[in-house]
């Protein structure tokens, strides 16, 4: 009897623990999300510059012909541009004059600008980023800034947009898991340690956390590594930032 009561007590304790964990997970809710994206090109090493002799004119003008034209521009028989006896640039009697056509009246378009309802909680402010990067490692100090705020405790998480836990098709620089991303980040206000961007979708990685009513704005330093095997060309990186808040 005592053993049965002990087993029942243990089972009740396990159930209570699972209930607490389940409630803790339910208290986290997504409040807002933003995307940071930048396009750039990878440039190869400069190639040697050569010089070539300019080609001679296709139809050089004979000096004597120039002198005759200067003396009398109308000397000789009149010439009309023609490919053959039956083909003329402008056929006789078929002179065309440009005609104006009636254009339809443009339809007025009205744009309505709506404010972002989540701007009070999460905002991204892009800064100056170079348009081109060489091969090797390049650090971009304060590539952009992120603002966060909420009335309850919260956390900001990030991951490569469109990435999944396996089998994705993302390409350079935010490769898909399990290939490591070539783009890393750091928050210098907290630490100079760089973190390779998470590229396996949600839940991502925590960028930073905040207390209730805590407003924060921090720079994000980016580090881009371009391997020698990467073809030169145009690329784009997009990172998703999501704000999760603790519900009361």
């Amino acid at each position: 009897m005592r053993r049965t009561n002990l087993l029942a007590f243990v089972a009740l304790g396990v159930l209570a623990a699972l209930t607490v964990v389940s409630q803790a997970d339910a208290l986290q809710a997504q409040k807002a999300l933003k995307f940071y994206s930048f396009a750039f090109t990878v440039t190869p090493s400069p190639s040697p510059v050569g010089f070539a002799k300019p080609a001679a004119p296709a139809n050089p003008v004979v000096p004597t012909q120039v002198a005759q034209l200067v003396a009398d521009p109308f000397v000789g028989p009149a010439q009309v541009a023609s490919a053959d006896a039956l083909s003329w640039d402008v056929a006789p009697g078929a002179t065309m004059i440009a005609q104006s056509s009636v254009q339809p009246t443009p339809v007025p378009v009205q744009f309505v600008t709506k404010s972002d309802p989540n701007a009070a909680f999460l905002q991204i402010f892009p800064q100056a980023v170079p348009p081109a990067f060489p091969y090797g490692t390049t650090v971009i100090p304060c590539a952009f800034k992120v603002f966060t705020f909420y009335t309850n405790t919260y956390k900001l998480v990030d991951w490569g947009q469109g990435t999944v836990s396996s089998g994705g098709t993302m390409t350079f620089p935010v490769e898909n898991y399990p290939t490591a991303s070539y783009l890393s980040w750091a928050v210098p206000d907290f630490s100079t340690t760089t973190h390779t961007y998470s590229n396996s979708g949600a839940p991502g990685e925590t960028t930073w956390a905040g207390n209730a009513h805590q407003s924060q704005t921090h720079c994000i330093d980016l580090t881009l590594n371009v391997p020698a095997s990467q073809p030169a060309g145009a690329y784009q990186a997009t990172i998703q930032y999501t704000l999760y808040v603790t519900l009361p």
Side-chain angles (χ1 to χ4, degrees):
M1 184 68 179
R2 180 177 300 175
R3 184 177 179 181
T4 303
N5 292 338
L6 179 60
L7 292 176
F9 180 76
V10 172
L12 182 61
V14 173
L15 181 61
L18 292 175
T19 302
V20 170
V21 173
S22 178
Q23 289 178 350
D25 292 340
L27 291 178
Q28 292 287 333
Q30 176 182 313
K31 180 58 183 178
L33 65 88
K34 301 287 183 181
F35 300 99
Y36 171 75
S37 179
F38 73 101
F40 62 93
T41 58
V42 172
T43 57
S45 301
S47 58
V49 179
F51 297 92
K53 181 179 179 181
N59 297 312
V61 179
V62 181
T64 55
Q65 293 178 347
V66 175
Q68 293 176 359
L69 290 175
V70 172
D72 188 358
F74 302 101
V75 67
Q79 299 182 8
V80 179
S82 173
D84 50 52
L86 301 177
S87 176
W88 301 83
D89 287 349
V90 180
T95 303
M96 300 296 295
I97 300 176
Q99 303 290 330
S100 62
S101 59
V102 178
Q103 300 296 327
T105 304
V107 178
V109 179
Q110 183 177 3
F111 294 93
V112 178
T113 303
K114 295 184 179 180
S115 59
D116 182 1
N118 295 320
F121 311 119
L122 176 62
Q123 292 190 58
I124 295 180
F125 306 98
Q127 307 296 301
V129 175
F133 292 88
Y135 287 91
T137 301
T138 302
V139 179
I140 314 167
C142 198
F144 59 100
K145 297 180 179 180
V146 180
F147 161 82
T148 56
F149 169 80
Y150 202 69
T151 54
N152 300 337
T153 57
Y154 62 86
K155 67 177 180 179
L156 179 70
V157 301
D158 64 74
W159 64 81
Q161 183 197 20
T163 59
V164 294
S165 58
S166 63
T169 58
M170 298 300 293
T171 57
F172 179 85
V174 184
E175 304 285 348
N176 205 83
Y177 183 85
T179 304
S181 173
Y182 291 97
L183 188 65
S184 304
W185 62 274
V187 182
D189 291 347
F190 300 140
S191 172
T192 57
T193 302
T194 59
H195 307 266
T196 302
Y197 269 111
S198 175
N199 59 358
S200 59
E205 58 189 343
T206 299
T207 314
W208 66 68
N211 298 322
H213 299 280
Q214 182 182 9
S215 173
Q216 302 184 70
T217 301
H218 302 287
C219 275
I220 305 292
D221 292 351
L222 293 181
T223 300
L224 178 64
N225 179 28
V226 182
S229 59
Q230 189 66 35
Y235 298 93
Q236 180 171 323
T238 303
I239 307 300
Q240 176 175 332
Y241 284 89
T242 308
L243 186 70
Y244 288 95
V245 301
T246 301
L247 300 179

